[in-house]
Amino acid sequence: MLPASRSSLTVVQMLPALESGGVERGTLEIALALVERGYRSIVISAGGRLVEALERAGSEHVTWQVGKKSPSSLWLVNRLRRFLWTERVDILHVRSRVPAWIGWLAWKSLPPVMRPRFVTTVHGAYSVNAYSAIMTRGEAVIAVSDTIREYVRVNYPRSPSEKIRVIHRGRDPLEFPHGHRPTPEWRANWEAEHPKLRGKLLITLPGRIARLKGHHDFITLIDQLRDRGFNAHGLIVGGAEPGKEAYLSELQSLVAQRGLNAHITFTGHRGDVKDIYAISRIVCSLTTQPESFGRTTLEALSIGTPVVGYAHGGVGEILTRVYPNGWIEPFNVPALVDRVAALLTAPKALVPAFEDFQLRDMQRQTIELYEELAGVRQAARSQRAA
């Protein structure tokens, strides 16, 4: 790679891998925005299926095992230190704990005048300990929601509040357009795959198969809706990651025990969730722990499908601002059933279009932060040179 021009901005983002997930998607979204602005974008990770898309959009990828939880990862510190200097990096943005430790140690070992600005993003409410505290050591700390800002403020009081920036994640209204309707071809394929769903009131719970997603409450919801006479059918949309197969079997056994095999469908991982949201009467968010943001909630609301969810964490923030009618006290299953029943009884209506939580705002705010930090550093360099 050639050294970057000093009239430009060179940003390195570090994360464990580029396979899938919200952190990975956010990394690609910022990388794309950097390239569109004429800046140099570099991502360091162990690689994965998203690397092709990253490079196709104009970013560079460096394949290092920066997410491995092993003392051997410390061998990368000197390598990264040299890389930061030779590539004249302006911003080092770390998005996970192991990459953050590698990045911070390399950054601290450089003379202050040679250091890039060090940025961290707190993507979740990590366990509170010295290992996780690295995510609060950035010169700027990005919190992905007000919930995460409060988590940092309460659990890491030594982190100055003025360096915490709330930059909400966002959705692309072109990817999840308001009023979206599936194509006739998609509908035909869907009905051929799931003929028993024709004419049913579809209630959808999206997300990976993990205990924190609230599947037990969802199964109870469908069971009680059926008892009330609703022709409701539950869709559990998401796959079981390696190691979660036993939990999937547990859920399937529970569905069978309650006599709901004909009324709940496990779809596995799907690449067409936008279309599934569109044919659903209601999408649910029933996490047992507060989510840092709530991307699936935002995507479903973006196309106009009502979301009923436990209003804690980022999901609570989204519902409060966009669709208060979907706001349910966490773990109040009777209130959940009553609200969903009321929505099923009312005429089907789209959630109104809204301007909050736009992807372009997240990209703009992040890059403005980079520019602000780099400008401060470059001014300091000029003063020392004089």
Side-chain angles (χ1 to χ4, degrees), residues 188-214:
N189 290 333
W190 174 262
E191 290 179 1
E193 185 178 358
H194 301 288
K196 68 180 180 180
L197 303 186
R198 190 172 300 147
K200 300 292 182 65
L201 300 171
L202 301 181
I203 316 296
T204 296
L205 182 72
R208 68 188 186 279
I209 301 296
R211 289 190 183 277
L212 64 86
K213 294 299 182 181

mmCIF file of all heavy atoms in Angstrom, residues 188-214:
data_model
loop_
_atom_site.group_PDB
_atom_site.id
_atom_site.type_symbol
_atom_site.label_atom_id
_atom_site.label_comp_id
_atom_site.label_asym_id
_atom_site.label_seq_id
_atom_site.Cartn_x
_atom_site.Cartn_y
_atom_site.Cartn_z
ATOM 1 N N ALA A 188 -45.389 -16.163 -4.495
ATOM 2 C CA ALA A 188 -45.674 -17.507 -5.015
ATOM 3 C C ALA A 188 -44.712 -18.530 -4.420
ATOM 4 O O ALA A 188 -45.124 -19.632 -4.016
ATOM 5 C CB ALA A 188 -45.593 -17.500 -6.542
ATOM 6 N N ASN A 189 -43.436 -18.180 -4.358
ATOM 7 C CA ASN A 189 -42.449 -19.095 -3.776
ATOM 8 C C ASN A 189 -42.708 -19.322 -2.293
ATOM 9 O O ASN A 189 -42.593 -20.445 -1.785
ATOM 10 C CB ASN A 189 -41.035 -18.544 -3.983
ATOM 11 C CG ASN A 189 -40.605 -18.585 -5.439
ATOM 12 O OD1 ASN A 189 -41.079 -19.414 -6.210
ATOM 13 N ND2 ASN A 189 -39.714 -17.683 -5.827
ATOM 14 N N TRP A 190 -43.056 -18.246 -1.579
ATOM 15 C CA TRP A 190 -43.330 -18.347 -0.147
ATOM 16 C C TRP A 190 -44.523 -19.265 0.107
ATOM 17 O O TRP A 190 -44.480 -20.133 0.990
ATOM 18 C CB TRP A 190 -43.578 -16.958 0.428
ATOM 19 C CG TRP A 190 -44.005 -16.950 1.870
ATOM 20 C CD1 TRP A 190 -45.273 -16.860 2.354
ATOM 21 C CD2 TRP A 190 -43.151 -17.038 3.027
ATOM 22 N NE1 TRP A 190 -45.276 -16.878 3.731
ATOM 23 C CE2 TRP A 190 -43.994 -16.991 4.169
ATOM 24 C CE3 TRP A 190 -41.781 -17.149 3.203
ATOM 25 C CZ2 TRP A 190 -43.484 -17.040 5.472
ATOM 26 C CZ3 TRP A 190 -41.274 -17.206 4.500
ATOM 27 C CH2 TRP A 190 -42.113 -17.154 5.600
ATOM 28 N N GLU A 191 -45.600 -19.082 -0.652
ATOM 29 C CA GLU A 191 -46.799 -19.881 -0.447
ATOM 30 C C GLU A 191 -46.572 -21.346 -0.829
ATOM 31 O O GLU A 191 -47.152 -22.248 -0.224
ATOM 32 C CB GLU A 191 -47.958 -19.287 -1.246
ATOM 33 C CG GLU A 191 -48.424 -17.954 -0.669
ATOM 34 C CD GLU A 191 -49.556 -17.330 -1.459
ATOM 35 O OE1 GLU A 191 -49.992 -17.953 -2.454
ATOM 36 O OE2 GLU A 191 -50.006 -16.220 -1.086
ATOM 37 N N ALA A 192 -45.710 -21.558 -1.815
ATOM 38 C CA ALA A 192 -45.381 -22.937 -2.162
ATOM 39 C C ALA A 192 -44.558 -23.604 -1.054
ATOM 40 O O ALA A 192 -44.718 -24.795 -0.778
ATOM 41 C CB ALA A 192 -44.604 -22.967 -3.478
ATOM 42 N N GLU A 193 -43.695 -22.818 -0.406
ATOM 43 C CA GLU A 193 -42.858 -23.341 0.677
ATOM 44 C C GLU A 193 -43.664 -23.520 1.966
ATOM 45 O O GLU A 193 -43.411 -24.451 2.734
ATOM 46 C CB GLU A 193 -41.690 -22.377 0.910
ATOM 47 C CG GLU A 193 -40.674 -22.857 1.929
ATOM 48 C CD GLU A 193 -39.511 -21.882 2.084
ATOM 49 O OE1 GLU A 193 -39.487 -20.856 1.368
ATOM 50 O OE2 GLU A 193 -38.637 -22.152 2.925
ATOM 51 N N HIS A 194 -44.625 -22.613 2.198
ATOM 52 C CA HIS A 194 -45.389 -22.621 3.450
ATOM 53 C C HIS A 194 -46.897 -22.546 3.151
ATOM 54 O O HIS A 194 -47.552 -21.553 3.489
ATOM 55 C CB HIS A 194 -44.974 -21.447 4.337
ATOM 56 C CG HIS A 194 -43.528 -21.432 4.705
ATOM 57 N ND1 HIS A 194 -42.976 -22.322 5.601
ATOM 58 C CD2 HIS A 194 -42.511 -20.627 4.286
ATOM 59 C CE1 HIS A 194 -41.683 -22.065 5.736
ATOM 60 N NE2 HIS A 194 -41.381 -21.054 4.950
ATOM 61 N N PRO A 195 -47.466 -23.561 2.545
ATOM 62 C CA PRO A 195 -48.890 -23.491 2.166
ATOM 63 C C PRO A 195 -49.829 -23.350 3.363
ATOM 64 O O PRO A 195 -50.904 -22.756 3.240
ATOM 65 C CB PRO A 195 -49.129 -24.812 1.426
ATOM 66 C CG PRO A 195 -48.029 -25.713 1.886
ATOM 67 C CD PRO A 195 -46.852 -24.835 2.128
ATOM 68 N N LYS A 196 -49.431 -23.841 4.537
ATOM 69 C CA LYS A 196 -50.327 -23.791 5.692
ATOM 70 C C LYS A 196 -50.460 -22.373 6.270
ATOM 71 O O LYS A 196 -51.324 -22.144 7.124
ATOM 72 C CB LYS A 196 -49.839 -24.740 6.786
ATOM 73 C CG LYS A 196 -48.529 -24.336 7.446
ATOM 74 C CD LYS A 196 -48.127 -25.340 8.517
ATOM 75 C CE LYS A 196 -46.819 -24.945 9.188
ATOM 76 N NZ LYS A 196 -46.422 -25.926 10.224
ATOM 77 N N LEU A 197 -49.634 -21.442 5.790
ATOM 78 C CA LEU A 197 -49.690 -20.076 6.317
ATOM 79 C C LEU A 197 -50.696 -19.202 5.578
ATOM 80 O O LEU A 197 -50.955 -18.073 5.998
ATOM 81 C CB LEU A 197 -48.305 -19.417 6.238
ATOM 82 C CG LEU A 197 -47.162 -20.135 6.951
ATOM 83 C CD1 LEU A 197 -45.900 -19.289 6.914
ATOM 84 C CD2 LEU A 197 -47.532 -20.463 8.393
ATOM 85 N N ARG A 198 -51.236 -19.686 4.476
ATOM 86 C CA ARG A 198 -52.156 -18.883 3.681
ATOM 87 C C ARG A 198 -53.385 -18.479 4.511
ATOM 88 O O ARG A 198 -54.017 -19.312 5.154
ATOM 89 C CB ARG A 198 -52.576 -19.664 2.445
ATOM 90 C CG ARG A 198 -53.346 -18.847 1.417
ATOM 91 C CD ARG A 198 -53.551 -19.649 0.156
ATOM 92 N NE ARG A 198 -52.287 -20.032 -0.451
ATOM 93 C CZ ARG A 198 -52.098 -21.165 -1.114
ATOM 94 N NH1 ARG A 198 -53.083 -22.029 -1.237
ATOM 95 N NH2 ARG A 198 -50.927 -21.439 -1.642
ATOM 96 N N GLY A 199 -53.668 -17.190 4.558
ATOM 97 C CA GLY A 199 -54.824 -16.683 5.273
ATOM 98 C C GLY A 199 -54.631 -16.495 6.758
ATOM 99 O O GLY A 199 -55.561 -16.074 7.456
ATOM 100 N N LYS A 200 -53.435 -16.780 7.271
ATOM 101 C CA LYS A 200 -53.176 -16.647 8.704
ATOM 102 C C LYS A 200 -52.723 -15.223 9.047
ATOM 103 O O LYS A 200 -52.191 -14.495 8.203
ATOM 104 C CB LYS A 200 -52.089 -17.638 9.145
ATOM 105 C CG LYS A 200 -52.430 -19.096 8.898
ATOM 106 C CD LYS A 200 -53.568 -19.567 9.800
ATOM 107 C CE LYS A 200 -53.896 -21.035 9.595
ATOM 108 N NZ LYS A 200 -52.804 -21.926 9.986
ATOM 109 N N LEU A 201 -52.931 -14.842 10.303
ATOM 110 C CA LEU A 201 -52.400 -13.592 10.834
ATOM 111 C C LEU A 201 -50.985 -13.890 11.336
ATOM 112 O O LEU A 201 -50.808 -14.569 12.351
ATOM 113 C CB LEU A 201 -53.273 -13.081 11.980
ATOM 114 C CG LEU A 201 -54.738 -12.786 11.636
ATOM 115 C CD1 LEU A 201 -55.531 -12.493 12.905
ATOM 116 C CD2 LEU A 201 -54.826 -11.617 10.665
ATOM 117 N N LEU A 202 -49.993 -13.402 10.604
ATOM 118 C CA LEU A 202 -48.609 -13.761 10.908
ATOM 119 C C LEU A 202 -48.016 -12.817 11.947
ATOM 120 O O LEU A 202 -48.003 -11.603 11.776
ATOM 121 C CB LEU A 202 -47.763 -13.745 9.641
ATOM 122 C CG LEU A 202 -48.212 -14.696 8.519
ATOM 123 C CD1 LEU A 202 -47.267 -14.602 7.334
ATOM 124 C CD2 LEU A 202 -48.286 -16.144 9.030
ATOM 125 N N ILE A 203 -47.501 -13.412 13.026
ATOM 126 C CA ILE A 203 -46.799 -12.693 14.084
ATOM 127 C C ILE A 203 -45.353 -13.190 14.051
ATOM 128 O O ILE A 203 -45.111 -14.396 14.146
ATOM 129 C CB ILE A 203 -47.399 -12.966 15.475
ATOM 130 C CG1 ILE A 203 -48.926 -12.925 15.433
ATOM 131 C CG2 ILE A 203 -46.831 -12.002 16.500
ATOM 132 C CD1 ILE A 203 -49.499 -11.588 15.084
ATOM 133 N N THR A 204 -44.399 -12.281 13.927
ATOM 134 C CA THR A 204 -43.014 -12.674 13.654
ATOM 135 C C THR A 204 -42.078 -12.261 14.783
ATOM 136 O O THR A 204 -42.155 -11.133 15.288
ATOM 137 C CB THR A 204 -42.535 -12.041 12.339
ATOM 138 O OG1 THR A 204 -43.322 -12.569 11.262
ATOM 139 C CG2 THR A 204 -41.069 -12.339 12.073
ATOM 140 N N LEU A 205 -41.198 -13.186 15.162
ATOM 141 C CA LEU A 205 -40.109 -12.893 16.097
ATOM 142 C C LEU A 205 -38.793 -13.111 15.354
ATOM 143 O O LEU A 205 -38.398 -14.249 15.116
ATOM 144 C CB LEU A 205 -40.176 -13.799 17.324
ATOM 145 C CG LEU A 205 -39.098 -13.516 18.378
ATOM 146 C CD1 LEU A 205 -39.393 -12.211 19.106
ATOM 147 C CD2 LEU A 205 -39.009 -14.663 19.396
ATOM 148 N N PRO A 206 -38.104 -12.029 14.944
ATOM 149 C CA PRO A 206 -36.842 -12.188 14.227
ATOM 150 C C PRO A 206 -35.652 -12.233 15.181
ATOM 151 O O PRO A 206 -35.728 -11.753 16.307
ATOM 152 C CB PRO A 206 -36.795 -10.923 13.362
ATOM 153 C CG PRO A 206 -37.522 -9.891 14.183
ATOM 154 C CD PRO A 206 -38.551 -10.634 14.989
ATOM 155 N N GLY A 207 -34.570 -12.810 14.716
ATOM 156 C CA GLY A 207 -33.342 -12.844 15.512
ATOM 157 C C GLY A 207 -32.789 -14.239 15.626
ATOM 158 O O GLY A 207 -33.492 -15.240 15.446
ATOM 159 N N ARG A 208 -31.521 -14.305 15.973
ATOM 160 C CA ARG A 208 -30.873 -15.609 16.089
ATOM 161 C C ARG A 208 -31.500 -16.424 17.221
ATOM 162 O O ARG A 208 -32.128 -15.879 18.125
ATOM 163 C CB ARG A 208 -29.372 -15.436 16.334
ATOM 164 C CG ARG A 208 -29.012 -14.836 17.681
ATOM 165 C CD ARG A 208 -27.526 -14.525 17.756
ATOM 166 N NE ARG A 208 -27.121 -14.069 19.081
ATOM 167 C CZ ARG A 208 -27.273 -12.844 19.539
ATOM 168 N NH1 ARG A 208 -27.842 -11.925 18.778
ATOM 169 N NH2 ARG A 208 -26.852 -12.507 20.757
ATOM 170 N N ILE A 209 -31.311 -17.736 17.160
ATOM 171 C CA ILE A 209 -31.850 -18.624 18.186
ATOM 172 C C ILE A 209 -30.931 -18.560 19.404
ATOM 173 O O ILE A 209 -29.877 -19.193 19.456
ATOM 174 C CB ILE A 209 -31.960 -20.068 17.665
ATOM 175 C CG1 ILE A 209 -32.874 -20.121 16.437
ATOM 176 C CG2 ILE A 209 -32.470 -20.994 18.751
ATOM 177 C CD1 ILE A 209 -34.307 -19.734 16.696
ATOM 178 N N ALA A 210 -31.316 -17.731 20.368
ATOM 179 C CA ALA A 210 -30.551 -17.555 21.604
ATOM 180 C C ALA A 210 -31.534 -17.204 22.711
ATOM 181 O O ALA A 210 -32.568 -16.585 22.472
ATOM 182 C CB ALA A 210 -29.510 -16.448 21.448
ATOM 183 N N ARG A 211 -31.237 -17.594 23.939
ATOM 184 C CA ARG A 211 -32.177 -17.427 25.049
ATOM 185 C C ARG A 211 -32.588 -15.983 25.258
ATOM 186 O O ARG A 211 -33.724 -15.709 25.666
ATOM 187 C CB ARG A 211 -31.577 -17.987 26.339
ATOM 188 C CG ARG A 211 -31.490 -19.505 26.335
ATOM 189 C CD ARG A 211 -31.115 -20.067 27.693
ATOM 190 N NE ARG A 211 -30.973 -21.530 27.595
ATOM 191 C CZ ARG A 211 -31.974 -22.377 27.663
ATOM 192 N NH1 ARG A 211 -33.204 -21.919 27.854
ATOM 193 N NH2 ARG A 211 -31.773 -23.679 27.552
ATOM 194 N N LEU A 212 -31.706 -15.073 25.025
ATOM 195 C CA LEU A 212 -32.020 -13.668 25.306
ATOM 196 C C LEU A 212 -33.076 -13.096 24.363
ATOM 197 O O LEU A 212 -33.582 -11.993 24.597
ATOM 198 C CB LEU A 212 -30.759 -12.813 25.281
ATOM 199 C CG LEU A 212 -29.980 -12.679 23.967
ATOM 200 C CD1 LEU A 212 -30.542 -11.569 23.100
ATOM 201 C CD2 LEU A 212 -28.508 -12.401 24.260
ATOM 202 N N LYS A 213 -33.432 -13.796 23.292
ATOM 203 C CA LYS A 213 -34.399 -13.269 22.323
ATOM 204 C C LYS A 213 -35.853 -13.432 22.753
ATOM 205 O O LYS A 213 -36.761 -12.932 22.076
ATOM 206 C CB LYS A 213 -34.182 -13.921 20.952
ATOM 207 C CG LYS A 213 -32.846 -13.553 20.302
ATOM 208 C CD LYS A 213 -32.736 -12.052 20.058
ATOM 209 C CE LYS A 213 -31.436 -11.705 19.365
ATOM 210 N NZ LYS A 213 -31.304 -10.233 19.130
ATOM 211 N N GLY A 214 -36.110 -14.160 23.840
ATOM 212 C CA GLY A 214 -37.467 -14.201 24.372
ATOM 213 C C GLY A 214 -38.415 -15.164 23.690
ATOM 214 O O GLY A 214 -39.628 -14.926 23.646
#
